[in-house]
Amino acid sequence: MQVAAVRVHRTRFSAMREGAAHAVLPVEVITDDGLRGAGEIGLAYGAGGRGAAEILLELARTRLLGRDPFRTEQIQDELRRDTFWGHVPGPILGAAISALDEALWDIKGKALGQPVHVLLGGACRDRLRLYCNGWYRGLGPPDAYARAAKEVQARGFTALKFDPMKLDAEGRAHHVTRHIERWYEDLAVARVEAVRDAVGPAMDIIVELHGNMWPMDSIRFGRRIAHTRPFCMEEVADAEDAGAAREVGLQTGIAIAGGERLSTAGDFRRHFEAKAFSLAQPDMGIAGGFTGVRQIAALAAAHGVYLQPHNCGGPVSTAACVNLSFATPNFLIQEIFPAWPEDDRLDMVDEAFERGIVDGHLPLPTRPGLGVELRPDYLKGCDLLGEVQRD
């Protein structure tokens, strides 16, 4: 079996009320005997998606066509070691490598008739605990957050995440840059307190800061919400600043999560050695796919750090996260967006995991590969950014 073709697609979504439109980037890797593997470039938002697509097609043309898709370790090592910039890929080159890796593992699972989690060593649990994200769109006052959080709890979730500074008092997009003004900090604190009062002490609350503040502000804010007993605070400083993340944790007494913008095991090693993270959040679509994130998970375990993969894209990303999380001993909890009311991205695949949530958990996947199939009819409505084929 050899890789015969690779395609990259891009969705056409309208802009969200809270910012620019997402553009999910599904990838197809096709073998000479007709097996199709699915991957996803982990840059559905922000800048860089098209750049990653171009890099992916270049890598596929020069390094992947004609190769045995089962040799994922060798292929990833070459994509990292033999491309010069791949030594420190960053999120753009890292996303290209990751999407290809996911698709190759999907092919392996389909060829063997096994879910990817079986190929990774087998399940470590029978169901996967989830935390709900995306539940607070367009909300302004704290009491609106409280009502929405109660609705999440009523759907069976035992954990949720939100950024209390993402939206202004009217529910419009608002971006904090390093320093947070006092009035806005007061509003954010009130939102966290309202959510805790609404859901009670048993539900876990993850407070997301998106790396927008510097340590002084994150420390002050963390101290003000510490009494609400957050599960953790996420991205409390600049993404590469391990020392700052550690300091925020020490000064607030709150566990720190982060890592969604890091792309290699070496990036994470620096944070683990600095004891910056209690929970590591590699993105499957940036940090090397299954091959790369397995290394990060093992490194995290050696440093006593839990894994909770970052997931904010399309249903292929979710499928990759779910398979890895089931097979990872130090996994703790999985991020999920149960719905995307702004677009139809969940229709991209035949059976999106997002539609199989039961009481805030997902059951063990049984279908081969990633457990989802890209729908050809859906892809026809996307932009085809490029295709490479073996001669």
Side-chain angles (χ1 to χ4, degrees), residues 142 162-167 180 182-194 207 209 221 225:
F162 73 113
D163 182 342
M165 305 174 195
K166 184 178 181 180
L167 305 173
I180 182 171
R182 184 53 61 94
W183 72 267
Y184 201 54
E185 179 182 315
D186 291 343
L187 175 62
V189 170
R191 286 168 169 169
V192 176
E193 292 175 335
V207 178
L209 301 186
F221 174 73
I225 66 167

Coordinates of all heavy atoms in Angstrom, one line a residue, residues 142 162-167 180 182-194 207 209 221 225:
P142 N -23.7 39.1 34.1 CA -23.4 37.8 34.9 C -24.5 36.9 35.0 O -24.4 35.7 35.0 CB -22.9 38.4 36.2 CG -22.3 39.7 35.9 CD -23.2 40.3 34.9
F162 N -15.0 28.7 30.2 CA -15.3 29.9 29.5 C -14.3 31.0 29.8 O -13.5 30.9 30.8 CB -16.7 30.4 29.9 CG -16.8 31.0 31.3 CD1 -17.1 32.3 31.5 CD2 -16.7 30.2 32.5 CE1 -17.2 32.9 32.8 CE2 -16.9 30.7 33.7 CZ -17.1 32.0 33.9
D163 N -14.2 32.0 28.9 CA -13.3 33.1 29.1 C -14.2 34.3 29.6 O -15.0 34.8 28.8 CB -12.7 33.5 27.8 CG -11.7 34.7 27.9 OD1 -11.8 35.4 28.9 OD2 -10.9 34.8 27.0
P164 N -14.1 34.7 30.8 CA -15.0 35.7 31.4 C -14.7 37.1 30.8 O -15.4 38.1 31.2 CB -14.8 35.6 32.9 CG -13.4 35.1 33.0 CD -13.2 34.2 31.9
M165 N -13.6 37.2 30.0 CA -13.2 38.5 29.5 C -13.3 38.6 28.0 O -12.9 39.5 27.3 CB -11.7 38.8 29.9 CG -11.5 38.7 31.3 SD -9.7 38.9 31.7 CE -9.7 38.3 33.4
K166 N -13.9 37.5 27.3 CA -14.0 37.5 25.9 C -15.0 38.5 25.3 O -14.9 39.0 24.2 CB -14.3 36.1 25.5 CG -14.3 35.9 24.0 CD -14.6 34.4 23.6 CE -14.6 34.2 22.1 NZ -14.9 32.8 21.8
L167 N -16.0 38.7 26.1 CA -17.2 39.6 25.6 C -17.4 40.7 26.6 O -17.2 40.6 27.8 CB -18.4 38.7 25.6 CG -18.4 37.4 24.7 CD1 -19.6 36.6 24.9 CD2 -18.1 37.7 23.3
I180 N -5.6 44.6 32.1 CA -7.0 44.6 32.1 C -7.5 45.8 33.0 O -7.0 46.0 34.1 CB -7.6 43.3 32.7 CG1 -9.2 43.3 32.6 CG2 -7.1 42.9 34.0 CD1 -9.8 42.0 32.9
R182 N -9.8 48.0 35.4 CA -10.5 47.5 36.6 C -12.0 47.3 36.4 O -12.5 46.3 36.9 CB -10.2 48.6 37.7 CG -10.8 48.2 39.1 CD -10.3 46.8 39.5 NE -8.8 46.8 39.6 CZ -8.2 47.0 40.8 NH1 -8.8 47.2 41.9 NH2 -6.9 46.9 40.8
W183 N -12.7 48.1 35.7 CA -14.1 47.9 35.5 C -14.4 46.5 34.8 O -15.3 45.8 35.1 CB -14.7 49.0 34.7 CG -14.4 49.0 33.2 CD1 -13.4 49.7 32.6 CD2 -15.1 48.3 32.2 NE1 -13.3 49.4 31.3 CE2 -14.4 48.6 31.0 CE3 -16.2 47.5 32.1 CZ2 -14.8 48.1 29.7 CZ3 -16.5 46.9 30.9 CH2 -15.9 47.2 29.7
Y184 N -13.5 46.2 33.9 CA -13.6 45.0 33.1 C -13.3 43.8 33.9 O -13.9 42.7 33.9 CB -12.8 45.0 31.8 CG -13.3 44.1 30.8 CD1 -14.7 44.1 30.4 CD2 -12.5 43.1 30.2 CE1 -15.1 43.2 29.4 CE2 -12.9 42.3 29.2 CZ -14.3 42.3 28.9 OH -14.7 41.4 27.9
E185 N -12.3 43.9 34.8 CA -11.9 42.9 35.7 C -13.0 42.6 36.7 O -13.4 41.4 37.0 CB -10.6 43.3 36.5 CG -10.2 42.2 37.5 CD -9.0 42.7 38.3 OE1 -8.0 43.2 37.6 OE2 -9.0 42.5 39.5
D186 N -13.7 43.7 37.2 CA -14.8 43.5 38.1 C -15.9 42.7 37.4 O -16.6 41.8 38.0 CB -15.3 44.9 38.5 CG -14.4 45.6 39.4 OD1 -13.5 45.0 40.0 OD2 -14.6 46.8 39.6
L187 N -16.2 43.0 36.1 CA -17.2 42.3 35.4 C -16.8 40.8 35.2 O -17.7 39.9 35.4 CB -17.4 42.9 34.0 CG -18.4 42.2 33.0 CD1 -19.8 42.2 33.6 CD2 -18.4 42.9 31.7
A188 N -15.6 40.5 34.9 CA -15.1 39.1 34.7 C -15.3 38.4 36.0 O -15.7 37.2 36.1 CB -13.7 39.1 34.2
V189 N -14.9 39.0 37.1 CA -15.0 38.3 38.4 C -16.4 38.0 38.7 O -16.8 36.9 39.2 CB -14.4 39.2 39.6 CG1 -14.7 38.6 40.9 CG2 -12.9 39.3 39.4
A190 N -17.3 39.0 38.5 CA -18.7 38.8 38.7 C -19.3 37.6 37.9 O -20.2 36.9 38.4 CB -19.5 40.1 38.5
R191 N -18.8 37.5 36.7 CA -19.3 36.4 35.8 C -18.9 35.0 36.4 O -19.6 34.1 36.4 CB -18.7 36.6 34.4 CG -19.4 37.7 33.6 CD -18.7 38.0 32.4 NE -19.4 38.9 31.5 CZ -18.9 39.5 30.4 NH1 -17.7 39.3 30.1 NH2 -19.7 40.2 29.6
V192 N -17.6 34.9 36.8 CA -17.1 33.7 37.4 C -17.9 33.3 38.7 O -18.3 32.2 38.9 CB -15.6 33.7 37.7 CG1 -15.2 32.5 38.4 CG2 -14.8 33.9 36.4
E193 N -18.1 34.3 39.6 CA -18.9 34.1 40.8 C -20.3 33.7 40.5 O -20.9 32.8 41.1 CB -18.9 35.4 41.6 CG -17.5 35.7 42.2 CD -17.5 37.0 42.9 OE1 -18.3 37.9 42.6 OE2 -16.6 37.2 43.8
A194 N -20.9 34.3 39.5 CA -22.3 34.0 39.1 C -22.4 32.5 38.6 O -23.4 31.8 38.9 CB -22.8 34.9 38.0
V207 N -11.4 28.3 33.8 CA -11.4 29.7 33.5 C -10.3 30.0 32.5 O -9.1 29.8 32.7 CB -11.2 30.6 34.7 CG1 -11.1 32.1 34.3 CG2 -12.3 30.4 35.7
L209 N -8.1 32.3 29.9 CA -7.6 33.7 29.7 C -7.0 34.0 28.4 O -6.6 35.1 28.0 CB -6.6 34.0 30.8 CG -7.1 33.9 32.3 CD1 -6.0 34.4 33.2 CD2 -8.4 34.7 32.5
F221 N -6.2 38.9 39.1 CA -7.5 38.3 38.8 C -7.6 36.9 39.4 O -8.7 36.6 40.0 CB -7.6 38.2 37.3 CG -8.9 37.5 36.8 CD1 -10.1 38.1 37.0 CD2 -8.8 36.2 36.3 CE1 -11.3 37.4 36.6 CE2 -10.0 35.5 35.9 CZ -11.2 36.2 36.0
I225 N -10.6 35.3 42.1 CA -11.6 34.3 41.9 C -11.2 33.0 42.6 O -11.9 32.0 42.4 CB -11.7 34.0 40.3 CG1 -10.4 33.4 39.8 CG2 -12.2 35.2 39.6 CD1 -10.6 32.9 38.4

